[in-house]
Amino acid sequence: MAAAEHKSSFSAWRYAHYFTFLENKEKNVVVKCKLCLGGSKILSTAQNSNSNLLKHLQKQHAGTKLVAKTTDPEPSDGDATPPPPKQQRLDFNRGTASQVKVDKAIARYVVEHVQAISTVESPAFRELVGMIPCPGGTRHMGRKTFSNYLEKEYSKMESELKKTFEGLEYISTTADIWSVHNRSFLGITSHWINPTTLQRQKAALACKRIKGRHTYDLIASEIDHIHSLYGVSTKVTSTVTDNGSNFVKAFAMYQPESLSDDDDEEEEVIFTDVADVLNTAAEEGIVLPPHQRCASHTLNLISCADVLKWLLSNPGTKGIYRSSTAKCTALWNKASRSTVASEIVSDVFTKKLLVPCTTRWNSFYDAVARIVEMPMIDLSAISERLQLKSISDRELHFLKEYCAIMKPLTVALDILQGEDNCYFGTLLPTLETLMSKTLDMKDSLTVATGLPEAIVQAIKKRFASVLESNDAMLAAVTLPKFKLRWVRDQRKKEMVKGILAAECHKFLPGPEQQPARNPVSPTTPPDSGSSKDKEQDFFCFEDDDETFSTVETEVMAYLKTAETGMEILKEFPTIKAICLKLNAATPSSAPVERLFSLGSLVLSPKRNRLSDKRFEKLLLMRYNHWFES
């Protein structure tokens, strides 16, 4: 009777139909699993607990969806055991992909991972793609078919970019020239702020092969052609380039003519050579947007040229700078050219020495900072084992001061070379903070005592036009994360606030766009009405008090908000319009240099026979992440 009760309690369990009852063994119940292969798995569980069996189902049959037993009347001992539920069958058609998705996945793999187009003809790659379940079988594209597919996708990307630009009012571009494998390419990237989401967006427009000398007229012609190709010639607020003389002259020579106040005065007769007119006739119609010099390139010049000039001209730092850098250079050369020397350094110091790059000042700072991190004992031990002159305490102290002074400049460089969250309005707050932090260290120096003042003087000289630019101030104050926080002088705060209010008035509709007040009917007789009415009609002045109050209220409310995110601009439409226009540009030309970094992966030495057009299309699709959208 007890055995029947135990069997009855087990049969009442909701997952009992997955097991076959065998016997009662003392205080346990012995069962056999029906889901296991051949039903050979025998399990034992307590009479008052089925947790052991539940763990077995969850662990060994996790892929099977457990179905609880229905609450039917419990069958008697004489009833037949209910049939086990059928195990789920694997449906291989559930994960099939369309041929369109397969082709796009292949293109994404080849383009995003910078693979050769011939990859699609690799037997191993074809075997891998053939395992993808596709209705009717997977179609394998050959090299020519895949190339045609990429051509069509590039045309789609180009048309999508043009459609996007049609809905924008302000965009900015960056431009630079890159030479590799005895070929030169002009790269151009575009940047803008999405008016709806207020997110920074970017796209590469060209990486075009240019032949011949990189003269200013050739550069101007190519930039104007690319801007016209995408229909953005009148929408580009500025183009950012480095300080190369050819770029500077190109933008200086092809700026739109501005009407001056002296146009109505008598003009002098100017005689022009006919040959010059004929030579420049083909250049008519080329108009370039305002030019903006790369802030990172300018800071790099300060850190290299201006700082080095001061260190070598100052008697107190000339000798110690030369001796300390000479010993550092000897250490870098020894550790980088000899595996034995590199092992000696790694035995003493856990980190590897960094070797500076001649074209990037940041790498020199990082290399010196790595040496400064070393304890004096370890540095002397490494120099002794490498048979080099050891750096003295005074030289090490000078290098520490040098790194401390230059650290704010390196941070500023990293900020200005940003792309996703860096706007033109970031430039002025960065420069003001850089000068302030640099001057704060002058009292704690003992060797390079005058270097902070020299750096600040160089910044004021090279960025003189930016520090006094109204556009730079407006770009900074219309960024919610800055507003007026970067301005320390109260008088300058009031000045910037007035500039912002005046700019907001410009973005408001003018009198010709506003509805007329008290319009006089054209059918009214000229002599009708009293003399008082005539006098009121004669002295009809525009009442700007309401407009002025609206602008002042918006400016004051914006400056008082504590929000620092871009979303707050949606509540201030006039300030948002100013921000979209002035902050479309980036402070540096780093984005186009990143385009060239990707280009070195596409146009590798093993693929240097890639045609110019094919290279440009592969690079632009990779930079724009076309197949990821």
Side-chain angles (χ1 to χ4, degrees):
M1 182 65 183
E5 290 179 356
H6 297 326
K7 180 181 179 181
S8 176
S9 61
F10 166 74
S11 301
W13 184 44
R14 56 178 179 170
Y15 297 124
H17 53 279
Y18 290 107
F19 301 91
T20 302
F21 177 81
L22 296 180
E23 60 176 339
N24 287 300
K25 192 174 183 181
E26 297 181 355
K27 296 183 178 181
N28 294 338
V29 177
V30 181
V31 295
K32 181 166 60 176
C33 180
K34 299 178 181 179
L35 297 179
C36 292
L37 186 62
S40 58
K41 184 66 175 179
I42 298 177
L43 302 168
S44 176
T45 184
Q47 296 177 354
N48 56 354
S49 175
N50 300 308
S51 60
N52 190 25
L53 302 181
L54 183 60
K55 289 180 182 179
H56 170 77
L57 292 175
Q58 293 174 346
K59 184 177 180 180
Q60 300 296 331
H61 307 290
T64 303
K65 184 178 180 180
L66 300 179
V67 179
K69 184 177 63 173
T70 57
T71 57
D72 293 334
E74 184 179 349
S76 60
D77 293 345
D79 295 339
T81 305
K86 293 183 178 179
Q87 188 174 0
Q88 281 189 326
R89 300 179 62 183
L90 298 179
D91 186 6
F92 292 97
N93 295 325
R94 189 189 310 173
T96 57
S98 63
Q99 187 65 47
V100 176
K101 291 184 177 180
V102 173
D103 293 343
K104 185 175 181 179
I106 294 174
R108 179 183 177 185
Y109 168 75
V110 173
V111 173
E112 293 293 329
H113 292 274
V114 199
Q115 300 295 318
I117 296 179
S118 58
T119 304
V120 297
E121 293 184 343
S122 169
F125 184 79
R126 284 176 174 265
E127 181 182 359
L128 179 64
V129 174
M131 294 180 180
I132 301 175
C134 190
T138 305
R139 177 176 61 90
H140 296 283
M141 289 188 293
R143 180 172 183 170
K144 186 175 182 180
T145 305
F146 185 63
S147 299
N148 294 334
Y149 174 80
L150 293 179
E151 292 285 343
K152 294 179 182 178
E153 289 295 323
Y154 179 81
S155 300
K156 290 180 183 178
M157 183 189 73
E158 200 173 47
S159 61
E160 285 291 331
L161 276 177
K162 293 179 180 179
K163 189 183 299 183
T164 301
F165 293 151
E166 288 177 0
L168 295 175
E169 196 172 357
Y170 309 108
I171 70 169
S172 173
T173 56
T174 64
D176 200 359
I177 293 179
W178 174 52
S179 298
V180 61
H181 303 311
N182 298 325
R183 286 189 275 180
S184 297
F185 297 90
L186 174 66
I188 295 182
T189 62
S190 60
H191 306 268
W192 66 94
I193 301 176
N194 190 308
T196 305
T197 62
L198 297 178
Q199 297 294 321
R200 164 75 79 187
Q201 294 183 346
K202 63 179 180 178
L205 300 185
C207 190
K208 186 179 180 181
R209 170 78 183 276
I210 56 174
K211 298 181 180 180
R213 297 179 59 195
H214 305 162
T215 57
Y216 75 94
D217 52 346
L218 174 65
I219 293 174
S221 176
E222 294 294 343
I223 292 178
D224 182 71
H225 172 71
I226 294 170
H227 286 174
S228 302
L229 179 64
Y230 286 91
V232 296
S233 298
T234 59
K235 298 182 178 183
V236 178
T237 59
S238 64
T239 299
V240 186
T241 71
D242 58 15
N243 295 337
S245 59
N246 49 359
F247 277 100
V248 174
K249 186 176 181 180
F251 283 89
M253 295 293 292
Y254 293 97
Q255 287 296 307
E257 297 181 0
S258 57
L259 298 177
S260 62
D261 297 336
D262 301 331
D263 289 343
D264 296 335
E265 298 180 1
E266 185 178 356
E267 298 181 357
E268 296 182 2
V269 179
I270 301 175
F271 296 94
T272 307
D273 190 359
V274 177
D276 293 339
V277 175
L278 294 177
N279 290 334
T280 58
E283 298 174 355
E284 293 183 358
I286 298 179
V287 178
L288 296 183
H291 183 221
Q292 180 183 323
R293 299 196 181 195
C294 175
S296 298
H297 191 259
T298 306
L299 281 180
N300 194 63
L301 289 176
I302 294 174
S303 59
C304 293
D306 298 335
V307 172
L308 181 62
K309 181 180 179 180
W310 185 89
L311 289 173
L312 294 179
S313 61
N314 190 356
T317 57
K318 180 179 179 180
I320 193 170
Y321 173 76
R322 284 183 170 178
S323 61
S324 58
T325 53
K327 292 178 181 179
C328 290
T329 303
L331 189 59
W332 294 327
N333 293 338
K334 193 82 171 182
S336 62
R337 297 174 183 175
S338 171
T339 56
V340 176
S342 179
E343 291 173 356
I344 291 174
V345 174
S346 61
D347 290 341
V348 178
F349 193 62
T350 56
K351 296 181 181 180
K352 184 180 179 181
L353 290 180
L354 301 177
V355 180
C357 174
T358 56
T359 59
R360 290 291 181 268
W361 173 84
N362 263 16
S363 63
F364 177 78
Y365 168 82
D366 294 336
V368 174
R370 180 61 57 86
I371 291 179
V372 169
E373 291 178 8
M374 293 186 183
M376 190 62 188
I377 299 177
D378 295 343
L379 196 58
S380 300
I382 292 174
S383 300
E384 183 179 355
R385 294 181 63 179
L386 295 179
Q387 298 180 354
L388 298 174
K389 291 184 178 180
S390 177
I391 298 176
S392 64
D393 292 338
R394 189 167 182 271
E395 290 170 340
L396 185 62
H397 180 72
F398 166 76
L399 292 178
K400 289 182 179 180
E401 285 191 356
Y402 173 82
C403 291
I405 297 171
M406 303 302 289
K407 185 176 182 180
L409 199 145
T410 62
V411 176
L413 270 173
D414 292 338
I415 292 174
L416 296 179
Q417 288 174 355
E419 192 170 358
D420 295 333
N421 295 309
C422 190
Y423 309 87
F424 178 62
T426 311
L427 180 56
L428 263 187
T430 302
L431 294 178
E432 294 287 349
T433 306
L434 171 61
M435 291 189 290
S436 175
K437 288 183 176 296
T438 304
L439 289 176
D440 289 343
M441 285 182 286
K442 64 180 182 179
D443 296 334
S444 61
L445 304 177
T446 57
V447 181
T449 53
L451 185 55
E453 289 89 344
I455 293 175
V456 172
Q457 188 64 29
I459 293 174
K460 290 181 179 180
K461 181 180 178 180
R462 291 189 179 270
F463 289 98
S465 59
V466 177
L467 293 173
E468 301 299 329
S469 171
N470 287 350
D471 287 346
M473 295 179 189
L474 289 171
V477 75
T478 52
L479 285 178
K481 65 179 179 179
F482 292 124
K483 295 178 184 174
L484 291 175
R485 300 184 183 95
W486 56 278
V487 185
R488 298 179 181 272
D489 184 26
Q490 185 63 31
R491 184 184 304 174
K492 190 173 182 179
K493 279 188 178 182
E494 295 298 328
M495 183 191 72
V496 175
K497 191 185 303 181
I499 294 174
L500 178 60
E503 190 69 17
C504 289
H505 278 287
K506 294 180 182 179
F507 275 76
L508 292 177
E512 65 280 358
Q513 299 176 355
Q514 295 178 355
R517 299 182 181 181
N518 300 325
V520 180
S521 175
T523 59
T524 304
D527 295 333
S528 63
S530 62
S531 59
K532 185 176 181 180
D533 295 336
K534 292 180 181 179
E535 184 178 348
Q536 290 179 352
D537 292 339
F538 181 77
F539 294 108
C540 182
F541 303 108
E542 292 291 336
D543 187 9
D544 290 337
D545 291 342
E546 183 178 351
T547 304
F548 181 81
S549 176
T550 303
V551 170
E552 289 295 317
T553 302
E554 181 176 351
V555 171
M556 294 301 296
Y558 166 73
L559 295 177
K560 287 181 179 180
T561 56
E563 295 291 334
T564 58
M566 293 289 288
E567 293 292 328
I568 194 65
L569 290 177
K570 295 179 180 179
E571 301 179 11
F572 307 97
T574 309
I575 297 176
K576 173 187 172 183
I578 300 173
C579 182
L580 292 179
K581 178 182 178 181
L582 298 180
N583 283 301
T586 58
S588 73
S589 60
V592 72
E593 295 181 6
R594 294 189 180 98
L595 176 68
F596 295 151
S597 297
L598 284 176
S600 62
L601 300 178
V602 178
L603 197 63
S604 61
K606 291 185 178 180
R607 303 177 68 185
N608 58 6
R609 296 182 63 185
L610 202 64
S611 66
D612 299 331
K613 283 291 183 182
R614 179 63 53 79
F615 160 70
E616 181 181 19
K617 292 176 181 179
L618 288 174
L619 177 59
L620 296 190
M621 286 190 291
R622 170 63 180 84
Y623 184 89
N624 296 336
H625 299 289
W626 170 247
F627 292 105
E628 290 187 4
S629 58

